[in-house]
Amino acid sequence: MTTKLRVENLSKTFVLHNQHGVRLPVFSNASLEVKAGECVVLHGHSGSGKSTLLRSLYGNYLPDSGKIWVEHQGHEIDMVSAEAREILSVRRHTVGWVSQFLRVIPRISALNLVMQPLLELGVDKAQSEARASALLRHLNVPERLWHLAPSTFSGGEQQRVNIARGFVVDYPVLLLDEPTASLDATNRAAVVTLIEQAKARGAAVVGIFHDEDVRERVADRLYVMSPETAPEMSA
Ligand SMILES: Nc1ncnc2c1ncn2[C@@H]1O[C@H](COP(=O)(O)OP(=O)(O)OP(=O)(O)O)[C@@H](O)[C@H]1O
C-alpha cells in the first residue's frame, strides 16, 4: 500500500506573546504514517493536542520542527516548509478538511456551497450538481433547503452541508475534525458510510472522533497523544 501521509518528529509549542511569552508545548517528536485506504484516529484526553496536530497537517499551524510529507500529484511535499501557493495547491487537489462547523457564505445556496470545490477543479456544472445532490440526499438534508443559504439552517443541518462539501471531491487524503459531533444516530451512520467509501477508494484518513462507536467502526489504528509526545509546560 502507498504511503499518502508521513509525519516525522513533529513538535509544536504555542508561545503566548500577550501573556508574558508563556510557552505551551503541545507535542514533540510526533511521528506517524498513513497509507492509502487506512484511517488513523488521533486519541488522547482533552487538551492533549489532537486538534493542534490535525491543523498542523493541513498547514494551519506551523510546527517548530519536523516534517509532514504529503504525496501530491506524484511527488512528496513537506507541508512544514512548503510555500503558501504549494499549500493551496495541496488543499485544492490532495488534502480535504472536514470540520463540524460550516463557514456560511451569505446568499450562496447549500447546493452551490457543496458543488464549489468540484467547480474549482474544472468539473462541469451538471456533474458537480449531480454529485452534490447525491451527497445532500445521503446526509438527509431536505431537498426544500438545497436552494437556500444555510445561515438559517439548524446546527445539525449546517454540519451535514459541511460534511457533504468535504466529501464532494475524492481527495487522496482526508482530515476529519469531529465530523459526527452532535449528529443523531442515523446521520452518524451516514457519515461512517462516507468514510468507509473513502477508504475503499484508497483515501488515507486522519480523524478525531469523540464518539466511541464511530471510532471503532472507522479506525484501523489509534495514534495516542501520549505523555512522551506532550512535554511539560515551561515558562
Ligand atoms: N491557538 C492556540 N494558541 C495557544 N494555545 C493553544 C492554541 N490552540 C490550542 N492551544 C492549547 O494547546 C493544547 C492542546 O489543544 P488542542 O485543542 O490541540 O487539544 P485537543 O486534544 O484537540 O482537545 P479537545 O479534545 O478538548 O478538543 C491546549 O492546552 C490548548 O489550550
Side-chain angles (χ1 to χ4, degrees):
M1 273 196 298
T2 343
T3 298
K4 296 278 179 191
L5 179 72
R6 197 155 46 84
V7 177
E8 290 175 357
N9 300 318
L10 205 69
S11 300
K12 174 68 183 168
T13 296
F14 286 111
V15 181
L16 309 181
H17 295 289
N18 57 354
Q19 294 186 65
H20 314 292
V22 164
R23 295 170 56 78
L24 194 67
V26 184
F27 51 79
S28 73
N29 290 317
S31 296
L32 72 134
E33 200 173 300
V34 194
K35 294 189 162 61
E38 254 189 340
C39 175
V40 174
V41 171
L42 306 183
H43 193 55
H45 62 77
S46 175
S48 59
K50 303 180 292 295
S51 295
T52 304
L53 178 54
L54 201 67
R55 282 161 197 254
S56 302
L57 301 184
Y58 198 54
N60 274 353
Y61 288 147
L62 186 64
D64 316 317
S65 58
K67 306 271 188 203
I68 301 167
W69 295 107
V70 175
E71 199 205 82
H72 174 61
Q73 300 182 323
H75 59 280
E76 284 195 313
I77 282 197
D78 171 24
M79 294 292 276
V80 178
S81 56
E83 289 173 19
R85 65 176 172 80
E86 291 176 307
I87 290 181
L88 290 179
S89 169
V90 167
R91 288 179 179 182
R92 179 166 290 193
H93 298 277
T94 303
V95 180
W97 172 270
V98 185
S99 72
Q100 53 182 301
F101 303 110
L102 177 69
R103 208 160 45 90
V104 178
I105 305 168
R107 292 189 295 278
I108 298 196
S109 72
L111 186 64
N112 278 322
L113 265 176
V114 176
M115 287 165 62
Q116 210 175 34
L118 281 176
L119 295 174
E120 282 174 12
L121 286 175
V123 177
D124 76 59
K125 192 160 176 263
Q127 215 180 321
S128 302
E129 190 168 326
R131 169 84 177 140
S133 303
L135 276 163
L136 288 169
R137 197 167 288 120
H138 174 79
L139 288 159
N140 305 301
V141 177
E143 207 160 334
R144 65 186 155 78
L145 298 180
W146 295 3
H147 295 283
L148 303 177
S151 51
T152 56
F153 291 9
S154 75
E157 286 164 351
Q158 288 194 5
Q159 190 177 353
R160 283 176 282 138
V161 170
N162 197 40
I163 292 165
R165 183 180 158 99
F167 279 90
V168 79
V169 172
D170 284 341
Y171 294 108
V173 178
L174 274 173
L175 306 178
L176 310 177
D177 189 2
E178 294 190 55
T180 55
S182 72
L183 290 183
D184 60 24
T186 305
N187 287 309
R188 278 202 301 275
V191 176
V192 166
T193 303
L194 290 179
I195 298 170
E196 287 171 346
Q197 288 171 349
K199 287 169 63 177
R201 66 163 172 81
V205 182
V206 183
I208 302 171
F209 302 96
H210 283 144
D211 186 290
E212 201 175 322
D213 292 340
V214 173
R215 200 160 58 221
E216 281 178 6
R217 285 278 304 277
V218 301
D220 294 289
R221 279 180 292 125
L222 297 183
Y223 180 78
V224 179
M225 309 295 295
S226 62
E228 293 82 58
T229 60
E232 292 297 305
M233 187 178 139
S234 61

